[in-house]
Amino acid sequence: MVLQLFLNGVILGSIIALGAIGLSLIYGILKFGHFAHGDLMTLGAYFAFLFKVQLGLPFWLAFVLAALLTAGTAILLNLILYRHLKKRDSVIVMISSVGAALIIRNLVLLFWGPQNQFYEKAIQMPIVLAGGLLRIKENQIIILVLALTLVIAVHLFLSKTKMGKAMRAMSDNIDLAQITGINTEKVIIWTWAMSGVLTAAAGILLAFDTHLTPVMGWNLLLPLFAAVILGGIGSPYGAMFGGLVIGISQEMSTLIISAAYKPAVAFTIMILMLIIRPSGLMGKKV
Amino acid sequence: MTFAGVFSYLVFFLIFAGIYAVMTMALNMQRGFAGLFNIGIAGFWAVGSYTSAIMTKGPSPDHLGGFGMPFIIGLLAAGLISALVALLVGIPTIRLREDYLGIATIGIAEIIRLVIKNEAWLSNGVRGISAIPKPMAGSFGSNYNLFFLLIVVLIIALFYYLSEKGINSPWGRILRAIREDEEVVKAVGKNVVRYRMEAFILGAFMMGVGGALYAHFTSFISPEAFRPMQATFLVWIMLIIGGSANNFGSIVGAFLTWGIWTGTEFLTGMLPAAYTTQAAAIRVILIGVFLELILLNRPQGLFGEKKYSSASTTADG
Amino acid sequence: MLRINEIYAGYGEIEIIHGISLNVEQGEIVSIVGPNGSGKSTLLKSIFSLVDIMGGEINYLGSDLTATATDQMIKKGLSFVPQTDNIFPTLTVEENLELGAYVSTKKLSDRFDLIYNLFPPLIEKRKKKAGTLSGGQRQMVAFGRALVMEPKLLLLDEPTAGLAPMFIDLILEKVEEINKTGVSILMVEQNAKKALAMSDRGYVLAAGEKKYEDSGRGLLENKEVAQLFLGG
């Protein structure tokens, strides 16, 4: 039971982690909480639904196309909204992102309807491990492998490439980045692109594990923010770690409290973190 | 439609717009005057609605209740419990950056929704609370809604008067000074966190009362009765259109936005009945696009920020 | 190599620098001194377009800096070390240096060795996060980042601010050492006496205007300057 919950937590945690990396970098670089992040996740999942189920493309291709389209959407949001609002009060940018969230969610509702959708109808028999203590579906193994691959890819990108280092540098100290001659506009576009890809991946993996609904991403927004704050705003590695902690805590919490209150766990951890150490576990001082 | 029909629709429209005006003035107290970022309005709204419903209803086997208190006590209790929630959310977050408060308010709104949905003993869960008593029900016959409108108008007037008085008092001057330059206010030894907290609580009180009005007018509330994000978002649009830190603008912004929102209903109402879901989605998309256009093109709203006297005198009071 | 002509600069509507002219020649150390709020830092920042420029000209090796993008300035051999927040704290020392070479397309690892020679304590910290270093070492990282591109002119905004006394002399010695390798220096410095003593020329600013301009020694020996600005 405990082992099973832990495994479920790791699966959920990896999905949250993928979404939180981009949210954290955007937060660190552009200095605002992007409230449309959850709904971008939803959009990514539905793009994949479009390609895989409605157009009948193979899963990997649907995945790639959906990730690219979501990255494009993220860049577009920055281009038409956030870029123009960033000189103003950050609350204005955040409200604009709340607006973007509602627009995206309702576009999804408009095109794909309110009912649950599935990537595949067939029911998978779980693989039983550890003498019946642990059950895992083939899909869940794929989710873990894909999430791990993406996290490693992100790590290599951030630590080995010039663009990745520039991203971290901008999240650290944007004024110095400018003085260093970093093309900040270009880095911002890349950050949105990377966030879009990771967010779409998170959405697709979540839908792959369960199903698609128009509110799937919105429901994960609070855990995403909790992961970001736990790891420290602007710290991509903190976000990965935070995502795992939040995912595991949410699943394990059902040992003590009703499953209905799972979302409250993320909130509680976040509030505790804000009381004890607002800069997060890996963040710089804010 | 007959004249009477139009008139009764107008009254109905004004009551809803009026309740939103209460919410907008409340948000203006928090955001406009104190710079606080609250996107969990729906949570305070729900707390107000449920508190007043439970306080005023007679005994019911479905949920907590049986207090049978008068309407006015229901309103007060709604405001107080909502203010209490604000205090609890505010303690850990209000001294931090404004965006943390925003995230926390979303969280608390979500938790309130979960509690209402799952604690059936308290709120009858997803089935909601029905037959919430209306004040002086049955006294005015077919003109009852007109009477309810009067109550709403009285509350708007009261909150308007108190807000203006508060904001022109030494307390209000310090609040505005904090928004302009927090450091200066700190330097003269004022407890900035306390003033922010007070504005947050006052706003939450008003939201609770607004929620109570909503519950009594509709007689029925449930976790799904209104879409929380949509309600929160509408109030924000109303505030932004009316111009920040401007109570008069808040009221006009609320009526105007509610007019536009209702207008989109007429528009999508022309679609065949089979498309109700799509119609609702289109309405939200339209109002969302409308907000973005306002933010991009007219950030100060229609009325801008009201200039209150001696806005930057920080040392006195 | 740098000629500032009648520059007016500030923030938004507020003008802080009221028409100052200044120049730096090849190989010089030039110091800008003056009381707090005299506009020293603003003047330095205006060269890098970090403040709003309201009038005047800034010419560096024949090009107009007010119309030059930052990456182009760096390619032309100009580098700036801000007073505070001048490192990337969660990046390693080496990554800080790499970012100093961001605008370059070449590999500059041999330049890193020169920097480690100049600041030996950084060698064993190269894989450490810069934010974990001591104040003096952070300043070394900040200098290193600015030196990677082999600048011709280095702008230093109060390089010794907030440092322990033992580091102040060390950092100023390093400035002289860097200068000896052929890098011209323009710096704003609180320790006016020490700065002027090592400078070829100096400028004394007050209230956004230039009050005195002389050789470093000349200013130190000027009784008026000494009384008004150097604390007797």
Side-chain angles (χ1 to χ4, degrees), chain A residues 202-213:
Chain A
I204 296 168
L205 295 186
L206 181 66
F208 197 52
D209 188 28
T210 54
H211 55 258
L212 298 113
T213 84

Side-chain angles (χ1 to χ4, degrees), chain B residues 12 34 42 44 69 94 118 125 128 165 194 205 212 257 278 296 300 303 312:
Chain B
F12 189 78
F44 299 99
M69 292 287 181
I94 221 156
N118 293 299
K165 206 166 163 62
R194 205 195 86 197
F205 180 91
T257 309
Q278 284 87 338
L296 289 171
Q300 74 280 27
F303 300 94
S312 51

Side-chain angles (χ1 to χ4, degrees), chain B residues 174 177-178 181-192 314:
Chain B
I174 290 170
I178 291 172
D181 195 339
E182 194 177 327
E183 295 310 313
V184 172
V185 183
K186 271 186 193 155
V188 298
K190 297 287 178 199
N191 184 347
V192 169
T314 56

